[in-house]
């Protein structure tokens, strides 16, 4: 029997990049996956791919995680479709980088709403059934930026550091109900998000990474899968940096 057999996982931002890799890894471990992304086309593509590999393993949903009402509705739909939710991975995230003195109030709000409020909205949608079931795994994807700060990312770093405080507080609230809450903080990972970086910024970033390279989405996915699995049942409120040593 696979470690996540008969379990249901919601993965947000699973339409590409790190979220897509997490969805694949959890499906390989036996979980059924609710694939969430902002766009219908990306979530459907990933769900189709998963179902081709493992029949009946995935279903696609399109929602803006920043929209509280819409997220509650999708949460209800997922529970109606799958009957339960065991694992929530809050991975959806965006950047709107700029120096603070040039940052618009809209870009501040957009990033905080997607990255931090989005996680709150998704937890609200699943926490009652998890509490009732007296089990659950919540894994929030933060960033090295939330641990050490990066110039040009005051909005993003605030959202990602906020996720850490959110997760620690939540882990204390729900530990007695058998629910664990942990954070994975990736460093620079090869995805669409980092493909826009100039060669100059890339080189400067690599110079700060002891392992001297960017990571792959699978580096994050395997850690999330471990935290979601039975071997991690005594781990809660922790932050696992997967960043080639950048934040140590
Ligand atoms: P990505 O390639 O840009 O993919 C982002 C995913 O999030 C997409 O599927 C996107 O949906 C979804 N998304 C964005 N805003 C959303 C919203 N408001 N509602 C619903 N879905 C939304 O990003 P990534 O590099 O895989 O990053 C994944 C997570 O890791 C993010 O939280 C990011 O901050 C974090 N992270 C990434 C890195 C890195 O170097 N890549 C480093 C540290 C942390 P669509 O596909 O529909 O557009």
């Amino acid at each position: 029997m696979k470690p996540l057999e008969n379990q249901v996982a919601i993965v947000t931002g699973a339409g590409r990049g790190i979220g897509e890799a997490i969805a694949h890894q959890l499906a390989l471990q036996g979980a059924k996956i609710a694939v969430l992304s902002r766009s219908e086309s990306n979530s459907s593509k990933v769900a189709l791919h998963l179902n081709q590999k493992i029949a009946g393993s995935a279903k696609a949903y399109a929602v803006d995680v920043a929209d509280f009402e819409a997220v509650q509705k999708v949460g209800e739909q997922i529970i109606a479709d799958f009957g339960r939710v065991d694992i929530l991975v809050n991975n959806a995230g965006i950047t709107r980088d700029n120096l603070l003195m040039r940052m618009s109030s809209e870009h501040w709000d957009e990033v905080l709403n997607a990255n931090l409020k989005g996680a709150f909205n998704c937890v609200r949608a699943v926490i009652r059934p998890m509490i009732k079931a007296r089990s659950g795994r919540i894994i929030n994807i933060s960033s090295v930026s939330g641990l050490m700060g990066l110039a040009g990312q005051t909005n993003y770093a605030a959202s990602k550091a906020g996720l850490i405080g959110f997760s620690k507080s939540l882990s204390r609230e729900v530990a007695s109900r058998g629910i664990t809450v942990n954070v994975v903080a990736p460093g620079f990972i090869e995805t669409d998000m980092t493909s826009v970086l100039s060669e100059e910024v890339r080189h400067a970033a690599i110079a700060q990474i002891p392992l001297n390279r960017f990571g792959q989405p699978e580096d994050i996915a395997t850690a999330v899968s471990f935290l979601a699995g039975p071997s991690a049942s005594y781990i809660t409120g922790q932050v696992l940096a997967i960043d080639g040593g950048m934040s140590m």
Side-chain angles (χ1 to χ4, degrees):
M1 186 156 144
K2 292 178 178 171
L4 301 181
E5 203 84 56
N6 302 322
Q7 302 217 358
V8 174
I10 299 177
V11 184
T12 73
R16 52 204 163 92
I18 293 172
E20 180 178 7
I22 292 170
H24 276 267
Q25 188 60 38
L26 296 181
L28 277 177
Q29 301 300 314
K32 299 230 180 311
I33 315 293
V35 178
L36 256 74
S37 75
R38 204 170 18 188
S39 70
E40 173 81 55
S41 57
N42 284 352
S43 56
S44 297
K45 199 174 62 197
V46 171
L48 181 71
H49 195 188
L50 284 173
N51 284 323
Q52 282 167 346
K53 273 174 128 176
I54 309 164
S57 63
K59 219 167 162 348
Y61 303 86
V63 69
D64 178 353
V65 294
D67 181 340
F68 181 82
E69 298 301 336
V71 169
Q72 307 318 301
K73 271 197 197 139
V74 166
E76 284 165 20
Q77 187 60 50
I78 291 169
I79 291 163
D81 291 344
F82 289 95
R84 55 189 291 152
V85 175
D86 304 281
I87 300 158
L88 168 66
V89 184
N90 281 309
N91 165 79
I94 56 168
T95 51
R96 297 287 182 268
D97 294 355
N98 215 333
L99 294 175
L100 177 105
M101 61 184 175
R102 290 197 212 116
M103 187 174 290
S104 68
S105 139
E106 287 75 21
H107 279 178
W108 174 270
D109 287 346
E110 239 183 283
V111 168
L112 268 292
N113 286 339
N115 298 5
L116 185 53
K117 188 171 176 225
F120 164 77
N121 291 344
C122 293
V123 170
R124 277 295 309 271
V126 304
I127 200 71
R128 284 174 197 274
M130 279 185 179
I131 285 174
K132 217 168 151 200
R134 295 200 152 259
S135 75
R137 295 292 165 87
I138 297 171
I139 297 146
N140 295 323
I141 307 300
S142 176
S143 166
V144 67
S145 185
L147 291 173
M148 55 190 285
L150 292 178
Q153 291 199 320
T154 51
N155 51 358
Y156 183 77
S159 72
K160 294 300 188 178
L163 269 179
I164 294 173
F166 170 75
S167 304
K168 290 188 175 186
S169 297
L170 180 63
S171 70
R172 289 182 189 276
E173 285 185 22
V174 298
S176 64
R177 313 302 168 98
I179 302 166
T180 67
V181 186
N182 289 292
V183 176
V184 170
F188 285 86
I189 306 296
E190 303 278 9
T191 68
D192 291 349
M193 190 177 266
T194 48
S195 67
V196 296
L197 300 176
S198 68
E199 269 309 300
E200 195 189 343
V201 171
R202 248 185 113 82
H203 274 109
I206 288 173
Q208 291 184 63
I209 303 170
L211 284 176
N212 216 29
R213 60 180 170 83
F214 279 22
Q216 297 300 319
E218 291 69 27
D219 294 322
I220 308 306
T222 45
V224 169
S225 160
F226 163 70
L227 288 170
S231 314
S233 62
Y234 200 55
I235 302 174
T236 197
Q238 300 305 306
V239 182
L240 177 57
I242 304 178
D243 59 6
M246 187 175 174
S247 66
M248 74 173 129

